[in-house]
Amino acid sequence: MKYRSVFDIIGPVMIGPSSSHTAGAARIGRVARSLFGREPKWANISLYGSFAQTYKGHGTDVAIVGGLLDFDTDDKRIIKAIEIAEERGMKIRFIEEDAVTDHPNTARIIIGDHNGELELVGISIGGGKIEIIELNGFELKLSGNHPAILVVHNDRFGAIASVANTLAKYEINIGHMEVSRKEVGKMALMTIEVDQNIDDTLIEELEQLPNILKVTKIVD
């Protein structure tokens, strides 16, 4: 693991004893909340590896729930996040998984309400940094460190080019981009991390492009 600065090692300002198990966990939960677009009514949280072994002592449980409540890593309310979530009517279930994963600090979060649900897999890689590696069955690599656009689209010729051309029109620089699909010619997912904040006007224009099904933005 290579670190680019001292802050990658010591982690962010945070509540909790561990940057990996607390700050990273909170960020995974908050990305899930951001992608879902609203506060969920229920959450099933599966923990793997060291997350499963130490989540109560290291505050991983309250951190993930705090993220689902849209609390930042330094928000003192994280300590009482589960209590706050239950007061708001959120039903929470933690599952300690025995399966071996590629990374020891792995969480699978399934959240939902009467309008829909979302499934996400995230890993905490140290220093409060995370990667989202799966979203609703699509493989991806999303750091959560930059503004991002997730584009669900039909796997058709020209779909990627039309999105890239629209970003260029708005002078948006792409820092990282990848495409995942479950089957050739079916549904696919573009993950695009950018250097600038994303205006709602751009999102609306992207949604009007041919073969684009849904566009979601993540604000840094």
Side-chain angles (χ1 to χ4, degrees), residues 4 26 53 70 72 80 111-112 124 130 134 137 146 149 165-166 172-173 185-188 208 212:
R4 289 178 291 181
Q53 296 164 8
D70 204 26
D72 206 346
K80 296 185 177 180
I111 55 177
S124 181
I130 66 167
E134 185 180 315
H146 307 283
I149 307 171
N165 288 336
T166 303
I172 300 295
N173 189 53
K186 301 295 184 180
M187 194 179 295
Q208 299 305 312
I212 303 304

Side-chain angles (χ1 to χ4, degrees), residues 33 39-43 45 61-62 64-71 77-94:
R33 162 66 182 264
E39 187 171 290
K41 293 298 183 183
W42 55 266
I45 303 166
D61 50 355
V62 294
I64 291 178
V65 174
L68 294 176
L69 293 172
D70 204 26
F71 297 166
R77 292 176 295 174
I78 283 180
I79 297 171
K80 296 185 177 180
I82 293 177
E83 179 181 334
I84 294 170
E86 290 174 346
E87 289 174 354
R88 295 184 182 182
M90 188 188 301
K91 296 181 179 179
I92 305 163
R93 183 165 70 108
F94 288 96

Side-chain angles (χ1 to χ4, degrees), residues 10-29:
I10 65 174
V13 176
M14 64 180 189
I15 301 296
S18 167
S19 61
S20 293
H21 287 214
T22 311
R27 295 190 66 208
I28 292 171

Side-chain angles (χ1 to χ4, degrees), residues 58-190:
H58 284 188
T60 305
D61 50 355
V62 294
I64 291 178
V65 174
L68 294 176
L69 293 172
D70 204 26
F71 297 166
D72 206 346
T73 54
D74 61 350
D75 194 318
K76 294 182 179 179
R77 292 176 295 174
I78 283 180
I79 297 171
K80 296 185 177 180
I82 293 177
E83 179 181 334
I84 294 170
E86 290 174 346
E87 289 174 354
R88 295 184 182 182
M90 188 188 301
K91 296 181 179 179
I92 305 163
R93 183 165 70 108
F94 288 96
I95 305 162
E96 300 173 21
E97 300 283 4
D98 295 325
V100 178
T101 55
D102 291 337
H103 194 282
N105 299 331
T106 299
R108 179 180 297 273
I109 301 174
I110 306 176
I111 55 177
D113 58 18
H114 60 280
N115 288 321
E117 64 180 63
L118 175 144
E119 182 174 356
L120 171 152
V121 178
I123 59 176
S124 181
I125 60 177
K129 293 185 175 294
I130 66 167
E131 285 183 3
I132 305 303
I133 59 173
E134 185 180 315
L135 176 64
N136 290 340
F138 288 103
E139 294 182 358
L140 72 158
K141 184 178 180 181
L142 178 67
S143 71
N145 293 326
H146 307 283
I149 307 171
L150 301 185
V151 183
V152 179
H153 61 100
N154 292 318
D155 184 25
R156 298 288 188 274
F157 176 83
I160 297 172
S162 64
V163 170
N165 288 336
T166 303
L167 292 177
K169 171 184 171 182
Y170 283 83
E171 299 184 348
I172 300 295
N173 189 53
I174 297 173
H176 173 79
M177 178 177 181
E178 61 181 36
V179 181
S180 174
R181 62 186 182 185
K182 299 177 185 178
E183 188 177 344
V184 176
K186 301 295 184 180
M187 194 179 295
L189 174 68
M190 280 182 248

Side-chain angles (χ1 to χ4, degrees), residues 31-43:
V31 169
R33 162 66 182 264
S34 178
L35 290 172
F36 193 58
R38 56 195 180 275
E39 187 171 290
K41 293 298 183 183
W42 55 266

